[in-house]
Each structure stands twice: as C-alpha cells, then as structure tokens.
Amino acid sequence: MAKHVAVLMGGFSSERPVSLASGAACADALEGEGYAVTRVDVDRDIASVLKDLGPDVVFNALHGRFGEDGTIQGVLEFLEIPYTHSGVAASALALDKGRAKIIAKSVGIAVAEAKIMPRLDAAPKHVMPPPYVVKPIGEGSSFGVLIVREDQSTPPQQLFSTEWSFGDTVMVERFVHGRDLTCAVMGDVALGVCDIISEGHAFYDYDAKYAPGGSRHVVPADLPKDIYRQVQEWALKAHRAVGCRGISRSDFRYDDRFGKKGELIWLEINTQPGMTPTSLVPDIAADAGHSFGDLVRWMVEDASCRR
C-alpha cells in the first residue's frame, strides 16, 4: 500500500499564505510520486486531527511561529509520528535569530554586529550608527524587516505602532551592502549557491520572494571560487551546529564593491524553507539534478522522530 503522508500547511502565523502555497505544491508533487496524501490546514485541534488520521509520515509545510519554532515538532514527537525537516531544539534555535547568530559565530562563521532589545527601546533613537536593519527576532519571509538608511535622522516610526504584530523583541543589525546569496543543505550535503537578484526592491522583501517576477535566481552564482566554497562550507557548518535535519537554507550577504575578496556575512538559517513555485530550494535542488518530485520524496523518506 502507498505510504500515507499528511501535509501540514496554513496554520495561524503571519506566513500562512506562503505555507498554503508551499503545502499545495508539495502535496501535488507527492501525489505525483505515488503517495497517499491528506492535506491538513492546521488549527488548534491538530493533535486530535492527526491522531484520527493516523498518517505514516507528516510532511511539515508550515512556516513561521508554531510551525517552525519547535512547537509542532513537539506535538509530533508526543504523537510519535515521523516528520520532515528539523526537530524541536534545532527548529526553536534557528527561528530565534539572536541565538542562531551566537551559535554560528561560535563555530567561526562571520556574522554582522547586532543588538537584541525590546522593540520600544529601538524606536526613540538610533542604537547604532546607520545604516542598520531592524528585524523581528522570530519571523520569516521578511515580515517586519526595516532598513534604516544613512540619511534617516530617527528610527522607523513603525516601531511605535500599536498595530505592530511581529513580537516585542527585535534585532538591530549592521546593514551589509551587496548581493543576496543563499545555499541549501540536503541531509549532510551543501548544494549549490544561488545569487538572488531582486531589482526594483530595496532588499529581498516579501514581494521579491513571492510575487511572480519579483526576483531572479541565478544558480550557480557567479562568484570567485573561494567565496562560493566558503558559502557552502558555512551553510553546512551552520546546519550542523544548530542541529538541523533534512533540508535547511542559509542566507548570506556578500559585499564585493571593493574587490573580488569582499565581505561575506551569514545572516540566518531557515529550517522550513519555502517550497512555492518561486522558492529558492527547488531551484537550487534542480541545479543539482533533483526534480521537485525527487526532492519531496527524499524528504518523506528521510522523515523520523527524535530529530
């Protein structure tokens, strides 16, 4: 009989629309690979839903809080259902940008200077010389990311807003000029490096990531060989240091304005990378010879508990 896979998607984080798109694409591909698939739009009753379904494997296509912060992973461990991607501890650490940065720095990966603080403490005056970036400590898809330019006399006033919904703790990080690079890790192998070109956008924001034509993915990236290898080495080192399993993706900035060597900076690691039609990991995997069907099949066969 075909293996029964429950694809978890949607949920109730700010990344719900992205998760629905990822989940639909993965469910379609898994059906094409011959699996029996149940699509589950996750709500607060997810434990009882899964207990009733009794799937062989859970494919976790959730993004953001509750989906990639260790919460749903803990539920799946309790239910003893094998699942994809990283486990409880790695998921929690990776989504916490401050703690992930500490871990990366501890194993010799270059990171940008940063301060973790309450949002309202970052709002009245500059806490570091501009340019810098303000990021929610536990969000993905560039939600709540604010760029503070050199000519701005005050921090972004959005930080004062009562409608701010991205948590009360932020990371203020030195802005790194240059190119957006990313590298996927599959199991224990660093795949190719992708150069993300998002012309017309101040940075690789939500629209650049998910709108059709919002960005171009150049795989393999046109980089000096030593920089290319360094990106792969650091992506794999971060994957191992944080304790990731399955698929992860590390993001970087590379400032090559003043010569070929430039400055390479690791930004973060994603334990639940997007799997939409415009996502990065499928493009990187395709360059390595893995079709989308191959990729999701590998993820299902890699699934386990105690990850």
Side-chain angles (χ1 to χ4, degrees), residues 40-41 61 78 107 153 155 160-161 206 211 222 246 276-277 279 287 299 303 305:
V40 181
D41 189 345
F78 184 79
V107 294
S153 58
F160 281 117
S161 175
Y206 185 90
D222 183 13
T276 72
S279 293
D287 183 68
M299 294 165 79
C305 292

Side-chain angles (χ1 to χ4, degrees), residues 5 9 14 26 31 41 49 59 69 76 118 125 135 152 180 296 307:
V5 182
M9 63 181 84
S14 53
C26 293
E31 286 174 341
D41 189 345
V49 168
F59 189 104
D69 63 356
L76 295 169
K125 63 180 181 179
K135 302 177 180 179
Q152 290 182 231
D180 286 297
V296 295
R307 296 175 71 81

Side-chain angles (χ1 to χ4, degrees), residues 21 94 129 271:
T271 57

Side-chain angles (χ1 to χ4, degrees), residues 69-138:
D69 63 356
T71 304
I72 191 66
Q73 291 80 6
V75 172
L76 295 169
E77 292 285 2
F78 184 79
L79 295 174
E80 296 187 314
I81 303 174
Y83 59 96
T84 62
H85 299 83
S86 293
V88 176
S91 299
L93 289 170
L95 196 64
D96 186 320
K97 292 179 174 64
R99 287 180 169 84
K101 184 188 288 283
I102 291 170
I103 293 170
K105 186 176 180 180
S106 74
V107 294
I109 298 171
V111 300
E113 299 80 4
K115 299 178 180 181
I116 310 298
M117 63 184 58
R119 166 175 60 97
L120 294 178
D121 287 358
K125 63 180 181 179
H126 293 312
V127 296
M128 70 170 55
Y132 60 83
V133 184
V134 181
K135 302 177 180 179
I137 200 69

Side-chain angles (χ1 to χ4, degrees), residues 15-99:
E15 295 186 74
R16 173 179 170 80
V18 181
S19 174
L20 287 171
S22 284
C26 293
D28 289 346
L30 287 167
E31 286 174 341
E33 293 295 312
Y35 293 99
V37 175
T38 300
R39 301 159 194 245
V40 181
D41 189 345
V42 172
D43 207 341
R44 302 283 180 178
D45 61 350
I46 185 60
S48 60
V49 168
L50 288 173
K51 188 174 180 181
D52 290 341
L53 274 178
D56 298 305
V57 172
V58 159
F59 189 104
N60 184 9
L62 293 167
H63 298 308
R65 283 177 286 178
F66 305 105
E68 59 180 307
D69 63 356
T71 304
I72 191 66
Q73 291 80 6
V75 172
L76 295 169
E77 292 285 2
F78 184 79
L79 295 174
E80 296 187 314
I81 303 174
Y83 59 96
T84 62
H85 299 83
S86 293
V88 176
S91 299
L93 289 170
L95 196 64
D96 186 320
K97 292 179 174 64
R99 287 180 169 84

Side-chain angles (χ1 to χ4, degrees), residues 44 106 110 140 176 201 207 232 268 270:
R44 302 283 180 178
S106 74
V176 181
H201 296 264
D207 288 339
Q232 290 179 305
E268 63 183 24
N270 302 272

